[in-house]
Amino acid sequence: MIQTIGLSKAFHGAEVLKNINLQVAKSEIVVLLGPSGSGKSTLLRCLNGLEEPTGGAVELNGIRVDAAMKVREKRSRYREIRKHTGMVFQQFNLYPHKTALENVIEALLTVKKMPKHQAVQIGERLLERVGLAGKKDAYPSRLSGGQQQRVAIARALAMEPDIMLFDEPTSALDPELVGEVLDVMRELAKEGMTMMVVTHEMKFARQVANRIVFMDEGTIVEEAPPEAFFREPATERAKKFLNQLSDH
């Protein structure tokens, strides 16, 4: 479902991703771990075109974008990729002047040009799915951070994605609200959604991931099933990372 081939990304000459080769199978849940600045978020953003790779290629759902392609071709392919790929960010990025329901159905109306009554049915069903049926008419300012993030997940699901990308979806939340967002992600995992997740939630990584990909300084340092990674990381860098976490 997801593949990167020699993926590289530089900002102003500084390489943030170096020759990343990664494959994610259908229904697999891959959690990206690593210290801040290791390239995890940039990798996710290169997958759906929020950042354009400077080298190599990405392929999602059979649609390939090569860094060497002409700009127009790249943009058109990334547009195709985004039709099948949902993304949830650290900040919820909801429209403040729209209700929870209006936020969820916005893309159905503007991108899919769906009749409003049909979009509303889908939106209501998705809000129910993330446990917010009673909040459909609430504006973001009246919702807690955890509720806003669940609206953001419902909004991403509205486009019926085959792949979901989560970029630190709980890091802006108060600790007591983290669980409600992770529960929704656990449900998606059970339903067989293909997911790539950047997170600092080690318990979630341990319980839900099929595979941990540990990154440092723009490279993949090691990949392993969670059980093996947390019990006995293969590299010194990963050991050091886990030790620092257990100190907190």
Side-chain angles (χ1 to χ4, degrees):
M1 287 293 270
I2 303 175
Q3 183 165 218
T4 68
I5 306 106
L7 176 67
S8 304
K9 173 67 183 173
F11 291 109
H12 314 299
E15 264 204 313
V16 187
L17 293 177
K18 304 163 191 167
N19 194 31
I20 300 280
N21 294 294
L22 181 63
Q23 289 180 322
V24 179
K26 188 171 169 49
S27 299
E28 192 177 13
I29 291 130
V30 170
V31 169
L32 298 175
L33 295 181
S36 286
S38 55
K40 308 180 298 292
S41 294
T42 305
L43 172 52
L44 279 197
R45 293 170 74 87
C46 283
L47 293 176
N48 73 349
L50 290 173
E51 301 289 354
E52 286 198 6
T54 35
V58 301
E59 191 174 300
L60 280 82
N61 226 0
I63 304 161
R64 185 179 170 117
V65 178
D66 206 299
M69 280 174 179
K70 290 195 165 66
V71 172
R72 186 179 290 174
E73 176 69 4
K74 269 196 270 200
R75 293 213 172 125
S76 127
R77 293 203 181 185
Y78 268 132
R79 269 200 298 277
E80 283 305 305
I81 281 175
R82 287 197 197 112
K83 286 180 190 169
H84 306 279
T85 310
M87 179 128 181
V88 177
F89 302 88
Q90 192 171 347
Q91 302 302 338
F92 326 118
N93 298 349
L94 298 178
Y95 294 113
H97 59 291
K98 290 181 184 288
T99 63
L101 181 62
E102 287 167 343
N103 267 285
V104 172
I105 66 175
E106 175 70 13
L108 295 177
L109 300 174
T110 56
V111 180
K112 288 201 170 174
K113 307 280 188 268
M114 191 179 276
K116 185 154 187 194
H117 70 274
Q118 198 180 338
V120 165
Q121 280 181 330
I122 292 172
E124 287 177 343
R125 195 178 70 234
L126 287 169
L127 284 173
E128 192 174 327
R129 186 172 168 187
V130 298
L132 290 173
K135 296 285 186 187
K136 66 178 186 181
D137 297 323
Y139 288 90
S141 60
R142 311 297 302 163
L143 299 172
S144 71
Q147 290 169 332
Q148 289 186 59
Q149 191 60 296
R150 285 186 282 153
V151 171
I153 292 173
R155 177 182 59 186
L157 292 173
M159 295 298 282
E160 300 187 319
D162 302 303
I163 294 165
M164 285 285 281
L165 307 174
F166 291 90
D167 190 5
E168 303 204 17
T170 58
S171 63
L173 299 179
D174 294 332
E176 70 272 17
L177 302 176
V178 167
E180 62 191 58
V181 173
L182 294 180
D183 285 345
V184 172
M185 292 168 69
R186 283 193 181 93
E187 280 306 306
L188 286 177
K190 273 191 207 143
E191 290 163 17
M193 178 67 76
T194 306
M195 289 160 55
M196 268 182 86
V197 184
V198 173
T199 186
H200 294 291
E201 298 296 329
M202 295 302 142
K203 190 173 165 199
F204 175 82
R206 199 182 278 249
Q207 291 173 345
V208 181
N210 302 107
R211 182 159 42 115
I212 303 289
V213 172
F214 178 71
M215 291 181 68
D216 194 19
E217 294 181 357
T219 62
I220 291 176
V221 178
E222 72 177 272
E223 296 182 52
E227 178 69 11
F229 178 80
F230 286 106
R231 195 183 60 241
E232 206 166 333
T235 60
E236 279 310 312
R237 277 191 278 183
K239 278 182 195 150
K240 192 173 155 193
F241 173 75
L242 290 173
N243 285 339
Q244 282 168 336
L245 288 177
S246 58
D247 292 342
H248 291 308

